[in-house]
Every structure is written in C-alpha cells, then in structure tokens.
Amino acid sequence: MDRATLDLQYNARATVPDITPMLSEYASLSVQARATLPCALDVAYGPHPDETLDIFPAQGKHPGPVLIYLHGGYWRLLSKDDSSFMAPTLTRAGITVVAVNYSLAPAVTLDHIVDQTRRAVAWVHQHIEQHHGDRHRLVVAGSSAGGHLAAMVLARGWQENYGMDSTAIAGAVLLSGLYDLTPLVDTHINEWMHLSLEDARRNSPIFALPDHRPPILVSYGSNETAEFKRQSHDYLAAWQTRGAQAEYVEMPNTNHFDLVLHLNRFESPLVQKLLKLLGLTV
C-alpha cells in the first residue's frame, strides 16, 4: 500500500464522526467507579510518577482472578484515570480489576512503554494477593494500543528477567489491537512514535509468539478498517495454528472506540466469554 492508503487504514479516528463522546464516557464511568467501589488508587509499581495502578478488588469471599487493563490512545493519549469503567460489572462478577498507567509518546519510546507495562504485570503477580486477587489467574486486556501492549505481555523472552511466571497469565482479551507494527513506520503515526523498522519488528507481538499460550479472546469494532481487521485475524490464526485456544468474538454495531465499553455490560458477549474462560458463574 502507498502512504496515503496506509494512513487511511490506520486512522481509527476517521471511522467515527467524533471520538469525544466515547472518551468522555470512559472518563465519567471511571470517575463513578472510583467514587462508588472499594479501591486502592495510585499504587506505585515503579519509581516514576507515571508508574501507578488503580486496583478494584473482586466482590465476594474468595480472591478473584485479575483483569489487568492496558488503555489505548495510540500510545500517546489517555491514562488509567480513563480506564476503570469496567470495574463495576467485573468486580461484581468476582474479578479483581487493575487499571495500569504508563508514560506516553513522544516523551518516551515504545520500548519504554512496553517495559513499563511488563513491570506493572510483574508487580501485580507479586503483590495482588494483598488486594483480594489470585496471582495465578491473571488476564491481560487492552484496546487498540492497549491490545498491542497486552499482546507484548503475552510475548516470549522477557518474563524471567522481570521475576514473572509466564504460566500465571490465564488468558487475554485483545480488542482492536495492532500485532505487526512494521506497516506503521510509513504512516502518520510515526510522527510521534519515531519507530525504525527494527524498533517496529522488535515490538511486534506476532514475531514473538510465546511458548506458554493461554486462551485468548480477540475482537474488533464492526466498522473498523480492513487493516485493523486483518491484524486481528492474522494474530488469531497464528495462535490457532499452534494449537492454542483462540477465539474471535463478533461484536456487531460497535466501533473502534465504543467496543471496550462492552466490558462493563454483563450481557455482552465479551463479558460472557471472559467469565467462561475463567470458569466463573454468576
């Protein structure tokens, strides 16, 4: 594809008339969750001020499996403050929710962001039992750039150096993710990401598929571009051809930005599939 076509294919904003109402809904629902649910806010997982978590313990007597949510925003927008909107539904279903903050491009590199999110997951694995979570049942989840980051947590080759047991990852929910970043080098996205081809390949989870492959759920908005859909299906197929449990969840009448809000709707196929993956019944 030429530059103009690639720019169009990877311009998620162009698929909706206005992203503002959906971003506002992320923020307002997250404010409500923090105000009404038991939670531990701004918990540090590292020394930098950006390296913090918000933790929402599962409701119920027993520690719950843990959903670790990595926000989107093309690695340059949003924060954990916009990322706890699913906590009311999921904590009620018996899941502990962790919203992760990380630094944003162009102030930091993608390598730095990937390192932060991996350190956050390792911190959760080591400390979540103090917050009513089961350290052996972690689910990484993310939307858009967050889907990419969640897949980079699944990727091989980093766990031992971070004191992380890869078998603690019990599953993943990957929404509208990017799994091969090499096409982005020739798009407007690289105006703030500054990726070389080597950087892009090193940070492409499709080139670092793990030996431990937990069940994954993959979805995208029904009106997304052909490239976003292709990326999801290519990643899904790469897992399936290796014998992993990998499922596409169709979400009609959704877009790149409102899809993730369905994690706060108990009747949503995404939530129902997640509960089934974790063996939870409500």
Side-chain angles (χ1 to χ4, degrees):
M1 284 182 258
D2 60 25
R3 168 67 186 260
T5 304
L6 280 171
D7 275 341
L8 183 61
Q9 285 294 314
Y10 286 103
N11 187 350
R13 287 192 180 206
T15 61
V16 296
D18 183 9
I19 67 169
T20 305
M22 289 162 284
L23 300 190
S24 296
E25 191 168 3
Y26 297 171
S28 62
L29 290 176
S30 296
V31 167
Q32 184 178 355
R34 292 193 296 274
T36 58
L37 296 176
C39 54
L41 303 178
D42 301 315
V43 178
Y45 67 85
H48 193 277
D50 292 339
E51 296 173 356
T52 56
L53 311 163
D54 290 344
I55 305 172
F56 299 81
Q59 297 179 28
K61 189 181 300 183
H62 304 291
V66 183
L67 183 124
I68 304 169
Y69 181 70
L70 306 171
H71 69 80
Y74 253 141
W75 306 286
R76 67 167 180 165
L77 296 172
L78 304 178
S79 75
K80 70 173 178 57
D81 295 343
D82 309 292
S83 305
S84 50
F85 46 82
M86 75 292 292
T89 291
L90 297 188
T91 57
R92 190 165 61 248
I95 299 171
T96 292
V97 173
V98 178
V100 176
N101 204 66
Y102 54 84
S103 301
L104 301 176
V108 299
T109 65
L110 185 55
D111 286 300
H112 186 84
I113 294 170
V114 168
D115 169 69
Q116 287 180 313
T117 53
R118 287 171 170 174
R119 284 192 286 112
V121 171
W123 186 97
V124 171
H125 178 54
Q126 293 160 11
H127 298 282
I128 199 62
E129 289 180 344
Q130 301 168 24
H131 299 276
H132 205 53
D134 183 346
R135 69 190 297 263
H136 300 293
R137 301 172 71 195
L138 309 181
V139 174
V140 288
S143 174
S144 191
H148 160 264
L149 294 171
M152 288 299 288
V153 169
L154 295 174
R156 68 175 183 270
W158 66 274
Q159 290 84 358
E160 184 177 351
N161 291 336
Y162 290 69
M164 177 72 191
D165 177 4
S166 63
T167 64
I169 303 293
V173 181
L174 308 175
L175 308 178
S176 304
L178 294 167
Y179 311 104
D180 177 2
L181 302 192
T182 56
L184 302 188
V185 173
D186 296 318
T187 69
H188 66 286
I189 296 147
N190 220 18
E191 294 171 8
W192 62 85
M193 293 310 299
H194 308 302
L195 295 170
S196 68
L197 190 58
E198 181 182 353
D199 296 333
R201 187 174 179 87
R202 183 175 60 252
N203 286 291
S204 292
I206 201 163
F207 300 128
L209 297 172
D211 298 320
H212 169 67
R213 290 182 286 273
I216 65 171
L217 303 174
V218 175
S219 190
Y220 50 74
S222 56
N223 78 329
E224 304 231 29
T225 66
E227 272 295 277
F228 269 95
K229 293 177 180 179
R230 179 194 65 77
Q231 290 248 1
S232 288
H233 283 294
D234 285 355
Y235 189 71
L236 188 72
W239 279 66
Q240 291 172 336
T241 57
R242 288 161 175 79
Q245 182 182 334
E247 182 177 356
Y248 168 62
V249 182
E250 186 174 6
M251 293 295 294
N253 304 313
T254 57
N255 63 55
H256 185 88
F257 301 97
D258 66 10
L259 172 65
V260 69
L261 292 168
H262 287 258
L263 287 176
N264 194 39
R265 300 170 187 173
F266 183 77
E267 71 283 358
S268 161
L270 286 175
V271 173
Q272 292 299 308
K273 295 285 188 181
L274 173 61
L275 297 182
K276 183 179 178 181
L277 183 154
L278 292 170
L280 295 177
T281 56
V282 179

